[in-house]
Amino acid sequence: GAVVSQHPSWVICKSGTSVKIECRSLDFQATTMFWYRQFPKQSLMLMATSNEGSKATYEQGVEKDKFLINHASLTLSTLTVTSAHPEDSSFYICSARGTGKLNTEAFFGQGTRLTVV
Amino acid sequence: SQELEQSPQSLIVQEGKNLTINCTSSKTLYGLYWYKQKYGEGLIFLMMLQKGGEEKSHEKITAKLDEKKQQSSLHITASQPSHAGIYLCGADGSSGGGTSYGKLTFGQGTILTVHP
């Protein structure tokens, strides 16, 4: 149980275009989802916390207008990188926190590698 | 904010050797996760520790959390090439209140190479 699926696993886009990444909890409801970013040879850095039905909370230094997060249902959160530029190329990974017994830890998706050319 | 420091940053060992990776926190740990990652891939959950003095093992990997809950170690016995990868410790953002469960701060990672 507690599987999180992220889609796509990799994407290449042209500079200036927007890219949407999906994070789905497959067998549990996730009231909260977290989005992380990992640059090459660096650790994961939290970008934002996404709560179902409310606005996301962004970490300091993360542009909310550039990284749009939507958590419209208890099983899906999306991250849209708007007007992507080469410096946005990174590994994006989400995690989901469940309800009930699954409320005390988060389960990670497999990540999305974004390359902006 | 909480900071985690991992040591060493990289480690090269011969197959069959034992090794230890450490994770030190600037604040008391309320939940400490260990993950393994292949570069550019998702995280593989290894273990989670919450109680001071807690120790968990899975196959050849043992993780411990010290009594003061500010340091954790990951020990691999008789390493194999399959153990190679990046090991990350992550601290849960909860401070007993429950509102930050799952919000993790990660250490910088330890790159493990195991030579056959």
Side-chain angles (χ1 to χ4, degrees):
Chain A
V3 176
V4 175
S5 176
Q6 213 173 313
H7 178 80
S9 55
W10 60 270
V11 58
I12 301 173
C13 71
K14 291 184 177 180
S15 187
T17 62
S18 296
V19 174
K20 181 184 284 188
I21 302 170
E22 293 185 348
C23 180
R24 291 182 185 273
S25 56
L26 297 185
D27 49 2
F28 67 101
Q29 293 185 329
T31 53
T32 304
M33 290 186 175
F34 304 93
W35 287 96
Y36 298 83
R37 179 169 54 184
Q38 184 181 36
F39 290 110
K41 298 187 178 181
Q42 294 186 24
S43 191
L44 281 77
M45 297 296 294
L46 180 67
M47 297 175 66
T49 302
S50 168
N51 294 299
E52 187 268 336
S54 63
K55 291 183 179 180
T57 303
Y58 291 82
E59 296 299 303
Q60 191 172 12
V62 178
E63 301 174 57
K64 61 180 181 180
D65 294 330
K66 182 169 183 61
F67 299 99
L68 301 179
I69 292 174
N70 184 285
H71 194 157
S73 77
L74 285 172
T75 58
L76 174 65
S77 176
T78 60
L79 169 68
T80 301
V81 183
T82 62
S83 187
H85 288 98
E87 56 265 30
D88 297 322
S89 298
S90 187
F91 186 67
Y92 294 86
I93 191 165
C94 70
S95 69
R97 188 177 83 199
T99 58
K101 292 182 179 180
L102 299 178
N103 183 42
T104 56
E105 64 176 287
F107 304 92
F108 282 85
Q110 68 271 43
T112 297
R113 176 153 302 283
L114 169 64
T115 302
V116 184
V117 296
Chain B
S1 61
Q2 187 161 34
E3 293 185 359
L4 293 181
E5 185 163 335
Q6 279 183 244
S7 62
Q9 292 188 13
S10 64
L11 193 53
I12 302 173
V13 300
Q14 203 68 32
E15 181 177 1
K17 294 295 184 182
N18 302 335
L19 63 103
T20 299
I21 299 169
N22 293 302
C23 177
T24 302
S25 173
S26 59
K27 296 182 179 180
T28 300
L29 293 161
Y30 288 92
L32 190 283
Y33 294 76
W34 282 101
Y35 292 93
K36 178 185 173 184
Q37 184 186 29
K38 294 283 189 181
Y39 178 68
E41 297 181 13
L43 303 181
I44 300 170
F45 172 78
L46 297 176
M47 270 166 279
M48 176 182 148
L49 305 166
Q50 287 184 301
K51 300 176 183 177
E54 188 174 11
E55 179 176 322
K56 290 185 178 179
S57 294
H58 179 66
E59 297 181 341
K60 294 185 179 181
I61 301 176
T62 300
K64 300 178 184 180
L65 182 61
D66 74 338
E67 289 288 347
K68 293 184 178 180
K69 297 172 65 176
Q70 284 195 279
Q71 186 167 26
S72 178
S73 61
L74 185 81
H75 184 77
I76 299 177
T77 304
S79 59
Q80 299 171 356
S82 60
H83 287 127
I86 304 167
Y87 288 82
L88 293 161
C89 64
D92 200 298
S94 62
S95 56
T99 58
S100 298
Y101 281 123
K103 182 179 179 179
L104 302 184
T105 299
F106 286 92
Q108 74 273 36
T110 295
I111 302 171
L112 173 62
T113 304
V114 181
H115 287 310

